[in-house]
Amino acid sequence: MLHALGGPVSEFGWCSTPGKSYLDTGEYQYSVILQNPNASYDLRDIALEVEGKDAQGATVFVQEEVVPLIPAGDTCSYAGKVGGGIYAASLAFSVTGATSSDPSAPKIADLLAVENAVENIGGTNDMNYAGQVKALGGLPEGFDKVKVCVVLRDKGDVLAAGYSVVIDAPAAGESVPFTAMAPGVPQHLFWEASAIPWK
């Protein structure tokens, strides 16, 4: 599901996580592309709201996640899980708030790199994405963790799902391993793992 919104959320996709009987469990793995088109300031504490709706368009749940930083003029991939067991026919994504600050953070690609990432989806219970995160430099003040986000795209280059894990940040110039569990991986053509500063 691709939605070009022209705002901080430029596209998104999601899938349901099937249970043992392959029925919808009310858990949804999503991925979004978040952008800060402003070259003059960083965005901080970005409130990403995910709204689940039933088949009639009525809201059945609203969940919010706060993304701590998108540097000026930068774009990042983001992934998470919502639902909590509540069935939804569709998901809607929006940014409901953020604060701005003078541009002081380097671009995310200059801070963190994901290396040696592999997709392990041969089994049914231990599907995951694993690799290493390397700190190319010191993280901005107040950041001591890293969130690794894995986004999946289908053959039409449309976002299909997302998975994530939060780990302790490595020291500058060093690497740490990560494993992001991936329940209910949908059909996809390719995937990409990236990392963002986290608190």
Side-chain angles (χ1 to χ4, degrees):
M1 291 169 228
L2 175 68
H3 296 257
L5 304 181
V9 181
S10 61
E11 54 180 305
F12 66 79
W14 55 276
C15 73
S16 61
T17 302
K20 292 183 179 180
S21 60
Y22 293 94
L23 297 176
D24 193 321
T25 60
E27 301 280 352
Y28 305 96
Q29 300 287 158
Y30 71 86
S31 57
V32 297
I33 304 300
L34 297 172
Q35 59 184 6
N36 176 5
N38 304 285
S40 57
Y41 55 81
D42 295 341
L43 285 178
R44 294 180 181 266
D45 300 326
I46 302 102
L48 175 65
E49 184 177 277
V50 185
E51 181 180 10
K53 298 182 179 183
D54 65 16
Q56 288 71 46
T59 299
V60 292
F61 67 77
V62 175
Q63 292 180 229
E64 183 181 275
E65 180 115 37
V66 177
V67 182
L69 173 67
I70 305 178
D74 209 357
T75 299
C76 72
S77 300
Y78 188 79
K81 181 173 74 171
V82 293
I86 302 173
Y87 170 77
S90 64
L91 301 182
F93 296 77
S94 61
V95 168
T96 59
T99 60
S100 60
S101 64
D102 291 336
S104 59
K107 296 290 181 68
I108 293 172
D110 295 328
L111 292 172
L112 298 164
V114 172
E115 301 176 329
N116 306 315
V118 295
E119 182 179 50
N120 301 305
I121 58 172
T124 57
N125 298 319
D126 298 313
M127 297 180 290
N128 65 71
Y129 295 86
Q132 294 180 314
V133 176
K134 182 175 183 178
L136 304 178
L139 296 184
E141 184 177 355
F143 290 84
D144 59 357
K145 297 184 182 300
V146 168
K147 186 165 189 173
V148 180
C149 298
V150 180
V151 301
L152 280 58
R153 290 183 180 271
D154 66 17
K155 62 183 180 181
D157 198 28
V158 176
L159 290 176
Y163 306 93
S164 63
V165 63
V166 175
I167 59 175
D168 290 333
E174 298 191 4
S175 300
V176 293
F178 73 86
T179 300
M181 302 307 296
V185 175
Q187 289 187 348
H188 57 284
L189 183 62
F190 60 95
W191 58 276
E192 182 179 27
S194 59
I196 59 175
W198 202 253
K199 295 182 178 180

